[in-house]
Amino acid sequence: MAANCYSTIFVNYGDADRDILTRQLRMLKERYHSSVVLMLASDKDSQFLGQNAELFVDTINITDSDVSEAVLEYCQKGHISVKEATYMGELSDGDTRLKEAGLEVKNPDEMAESYKKAMEMLQKMVNPMLKR
């Protein structure tokens, strides 16, 4: 697989906007041919998996686990390069282990905000064109 930070995407939805984050995940998965791994932390995640099973290649149950440790262990066992993986989700305060290991870490709230701004810009660009 091409060397990019999206060969494997670990997603931990938490309280993030699932609709927007899922749109972004679908785009990244298609563009980079990524494998998406869902971090199961709640019943809400399990229900979401049932409704969107085609998006995910695997899951990691983290209800009683350390998230960073679970991701690093998954990479090690699956022979996944951490330099080609991305983690999308909140980490506990001060937890830098994933970044230190080489994973790109993305905050889902920041991703959602960036997506909304991009859609607003696109809408502003398209609306003047439609008025012509």
Short mmCIF file of all heavy atoms in Angstrom, two decimals, residues 3 15 23 30 35 40 46-47 66-67 73 77 80-81 85 88 97-99 105 107 111 113 115 127-128:
data_model
loop_
_atom_site.label_atom_id
_atom_site.label_comp_id
_atom_site.label_asym_id
_atom_site.label_seq_id
_atom_site.Cartn_x
_atom_site.Cartn_y
_atom_site.Cartn_z
N ALA A 3 2.57 4.67 0.89
CA ALA A 3 2.92 5.21 2.20
C ALA A 3 2.11 6.48 2.45
O ALA A 3 2.39 7.52 1.87
CB ALA A 3 4.41 5.48 2.28
N ASP A 15 -18.01 11.50 21.77
CA ASP A 15 -19.15 12.42 21.65
C ASP A 15 -19.13 13.21 20.35
O ASP A 15 -19.87 14.17 20.19
CB ASP A 15 -19.15 13.40 22.83
CG ASP A 15 -19.39 12.70 24.16
OD1 ASP A 15 -20.11 11.68 24.17
OD2 ASP A 15 -18.84 13.16 25.18
N ARG A 23 -18.90 10.80 7.20
CA ARG A 23 -18.73 11.28 5.83
C ARG A 23 -17.25 11.40 5.50
O ARG A 23 -16.80 11.01 4.42
CB ARG A 23 -19.40 12.64 5.65
CG ARG A 23 -20.89 12.57 5.56
CD ARG A 23 -21.46 13.94 5.30
NE ARG A 23 -22.84 13.98 5.72
CZ ARG A 23 -23.54 15.07 5.83
NH1 ARG A 23 -23.01 16.24 5.53
NH2 ARG A 23 -24.80 15.03 6.21
N GLU A 30 -12.26 5.69 0.69
CA GLU A 30 -12.31 5.54 -0.76
C GLU A 30 -11.05 6.10 -1.41
O GLU A 30 -10.45 5.45 -2.27
CB GLU A 30 -13.54 6.25 -1.32
CG GLU A 30 -13.70 6.06 -2.81
CD GLU A 30 -14.98 6.66 -3.33
OE1 GLU A 30 -15.98 6.71 -2.60
OE2 GLU A 30 -14.96 7.10 -4.50
N SER A 35 -8.21 0.92 5.57
CA SER A 35 -8.94 0.00 6.44
C SER A 35 -9.36 0.82 7.65
O SER A 35 -8.54 1.51 8.26
CB SER A 35 -8.03 -1.13 6.91
OG SER A 35 -7.57 -1.87 5.81
N LEU A 40 -14.74 0.31 19.94
CA LEU A 40 -16.02 0.11 20.63
C LEU A 40 -15.88 0.47 22.10
O LEU A 40 -15.21 -0.22 22.85
CB LEU A 40 -16.48 -1.34 20.50
CG LEU A 40 -16.81 -1.84 19.10
CD1 LEU A 40 -17.03 -3.34 19.11
CD2 LEU A 40 -18.03 -1.12 18.56
N SER A 46 -21.67 0.10 19.37
CA SER A 46 -22.13 -1.21 18.87
C SER A 46 -23.33 -1.06 17.95
O SER A 46 -23.40 -1.71 16.90
CB SER A 46 -22.48 -2.14 20.03
OG SER A 46 -21.33 -2.39 20.81
N GLN A 47 -24.26 -0.20 18.31
CA GLN A 47 -25.43 0.06 17.47
C GLN A 47 -25.01 0.70 16.15
O GLN A 47 -25.50 0.34 15.08
CB GLN A 47 -26.43 0.96 18.19
CG GLN A 47 -27.10 0.29 19.36
CD GLN A 47 -27.91 1.27 20.19
OE1 GLN A 47 -27.84 2.48 20.01
NE2 GLN A 47 -28.68 0.74 21.12
N ASP A 66 -7.04 0.73 27.87
CA ASP A 66 -6.35 1.97 27.56
C ASP A 66 -6.36 2.11 26.03
O ASP A 66 -5.86 1.24 25.32
CB ASP A 66 -4.93 1.90 28.11
CG ASP A 66 -4.12 3.11 27.76
OD1 ASP A 66 -3.49 3.08 26.68
OD2 ASP A 66 -4.13 4.08 28.54
N VAL A 67 -6.90 3.20 25.52
CA VAL A 67 -7.07 3.38 24.08
C VAL A 67 -5.73 3.34 23.35
O VAL A 67 -5.57 2.62 22.36
CB VAL A 67 -7.80 4.71 23.78
CG1 VAL A 67 -7.86 4.98 22.29
CG2 VAL A 67 -9.19 4.68 24.37
N GLU A 73 -1.06 -2.03 20.32
CA GLU A 73 -1.06 -3.50 20.33
C GLU A 73 -1.67 -4.05 19.04
O GLU A 73 -1.15 -5.00 18.46
CB GLU A 73 -1.83 -4.00 21.54
CG GLU A 73 -1.80 -5.50 21.72
CD GLU A 73 -2.53 -5.94 22.98
OE1 GLU A 73 -2.23 -5.40 24.06
OE2 GLU A 73 -3.41 -6.82 22.87
N LYS A 77 0.34 -6.49 16.52
CA LYS A 77 -0.15 -7.83 16.21
C LYS A 77 -0.50 -7.99 14.73
O LYS A 77 -0.33 -9.06 14.16
CB LYS A 77 -1.37 -8.18 17.06
CG LYS A 77 -1.02 -8.49 18.49
CD LYS A 77 -2.25 -8.87 19.29
CE LYS A 77 -1.89 -9.23 20.72
NZ LYS A 77 -3.07 -9.55 21.52
N ILE A 80 0.99 -3.67 11.28
CA ILE A 80 0.59 -2.42 10.65
C ILE A 80 1.60 -1.36 11.04
O ILE A 80 1.88 -1.16 12.23
CB ILE A 80 -0.83 -2.00 11.12
CG1 ILE A 80 -1.85 -3.05 10.67
CG2 ILE A 80 -1.18 -0.62 10.62
CD1 ILE A 80 -3.20 -2.89 11.32
N SER A 81 2.13 -0.66 10.06
CA SER A 81 3.07 0.42 10.34
C SER A 81 2.33 1.59 10.99
O SER A 81 1.35 2.10 10.43
CB SER A 81 3.72 0.89 9.05
OG SER A 81 4.44 2.09 9.28
N ALA A 85 -0.65 4.86 9.83
CA ALA A 85 -1.95 4.79 10.51
C ALA A 85 -2.32 6.15 11.09
O ALA A 85 -1.47 6.98 11.37
CB ALA A 85 -1.90 3.74 11.62
N MET A 88 -8.35 8.80 14.92
CA MET A 88 -9.32 9.88 14.98
C MET A 88 -10.15 9.71 16.23
O MET A 88 -10.94 8.77 16.33
CB MET A 88 -10.22 9.87 13.75
CG MET A 88 -9.49 10.13 12.48
SD MET A 88 -10.61 10.06 11.07
CE MET A 88 -9.46 10.40 9.76
N ARG A 97 1.36 9.07 23.62
CA ARG A 97 2.01 7.83 23.17
C ARG A 97 1.80 7.53 21.69
O ARG A 97 2.71 7.06 21.01
CB ARG A 97 1.56 6.65 24.02
CG ARG A 97 2.09 6.71 25.44
CD ARG A 97 1.57 5.58 26.26
NE ARG A 97 0.15 5.86 26.52
CZ ARG A 97 -0.70 5.00 27.04
NH1 ARG A 97 -0.30 3.78 27.35
NH2 ARG A 97 -1.94 5.32 27.26
N LEU A 98 0.60 7.80 21.17
CA LEU A 98 0.34 7.51 19.77
C LEU A 98 1.18 8.41 18.87
O LEU A 98 1.77 7.95 17.90
CB LEU A 98 -1.15 7.64 19.44
CG LEU A 98 -2.06 6.61 20.12
CD1 LEU A 98 -3.51 6.84 19.69
CD2 LEU A 98 -1.64 5.20 19.80
N LYS A 99 1.21 9.69 19.19
CA LYS A 99 2.02 10.62 18.40
C LYS A 99 3.49 10.26 18.50
O LYS A 99 4.22 10.27 17.49
CB LYS A 99 1.82 12.05 18.88
CG LYS A 99 0.50 12.65 18.46
CD LYS A 99 0.40 14.09 18.92
CE LYS A 99 -0.95 14.68 18.54
NZ LYS A 99 -1.08 16.07 19.00
N VAL A 105 -2.59 11.82 14.83
CA VAL A 105 -3.75 11.88 15.71
C VAL A 105 -4.59 13.08 15.32
O VAL A 105 -4.09 14.20 15.24
CB VAL A 105 -3.33 11.98 17.19
CG1 VAL A 105 -4.55 12.10 18.10
CG2 VAL A 105 -2.50 10.76 17.59
N ASN A 107 -8.23 15.23 15.98
CA ASN A 107 -9.32 15.53 16.90
C ASN A 107 -10.62 15.60 16.09
O ASN A 107 -10.72 16.39 15.15
CB ASN A 107 -9.04 16.87 17.60
CG ASN A 107 -10.13 17.24 18.57
OD1 ASN A 107 -11.29 17.34 18.21
ND2 ASN A 107 -9.74 17.47 19.80
N MET A 111 -11.93 18.22 13.16
CA MET A 111 -12.24 17.71 11.83
C MET A 111 -13.64 18.15 11.40
O MET A 111 -13.84 18.56 10.25
CB MET A 111 -12.13 16.19 11.80
CG MET A 111 -10.74 15.66 11.91
SD MET A 111 -10.69 13.86 11.92
CE MET A 111 -11.30 13.50 10.28
N GLU A 113 -15.33 20.76 12.46
CA GLU A 113 -15.32 22.20 12.23
C GLU A 113 -14.70 22.53 10.87
O GLU A 113 -15.22 23.35 10.12
CB GLU A 113 -14.55 22.91 13.35
CG GLU A 113 -14.67 24.40 13.31
CD GLU A 113 -16.10 24.91 13.46
OE1 GLU A 113 -16.89 24.29 14.20
OE2 GLU A 113 -16.43 25.93 12.82
N TYR A 115 -14.59 20.56 8.27
CA TYR A 115 -15.53 20.08 7.25
C TYR A 115 -16.65 21.10 7.04
O TYR A 115 -17.01 21.42 5.91
CB TYR A 115 -16.11 18.72 7.69
CG TYR A 115 -17.09 18.13 6.71
CD1 TYR A 115 -16.64 17.40 5.61
CD2 TYR A 115 -18.46 18.28 6.88
CE1 TYR A 115 -17.53 16.85 4.71
CE2 TYR A 115 -19.36 17.73 5.99
CZ TYR A 115 -18.89 17.02 4.91
OH TYR A 115 -19.79 16.47 4.02
N ASN A 127 -23.20 29.05 -5.08
CA ASN A 127 -24.38 29.93 -5.16
C ASN A 127 -24.23 31.06 -6.16
O ASN A 127 -25.15 31.29 -6.94
CB ASN A 127 -24.74 30.46 -3.77
CG ASN A 127 -25.46 29.42 -2.93
OD1 ASN A 127 -26.02 28.47 -3.47
ND2 ASN A 127 -25.46 29.61 -1.63
N PRO A 128 -23.11 31.79 -6.21
CA PRO A 128 -22.99 32.84 -7.23
C PRO A 128 -23.03 32.28 -8.65
O PRO A 128 -23.54 32.91 -9.56
CB PRO A 128 -21.63 33.48 -6.94
CG PRO A 128 -21.38 33.21 -5.51
CD PRO A 128 -22.02 31.88 -5.26
#
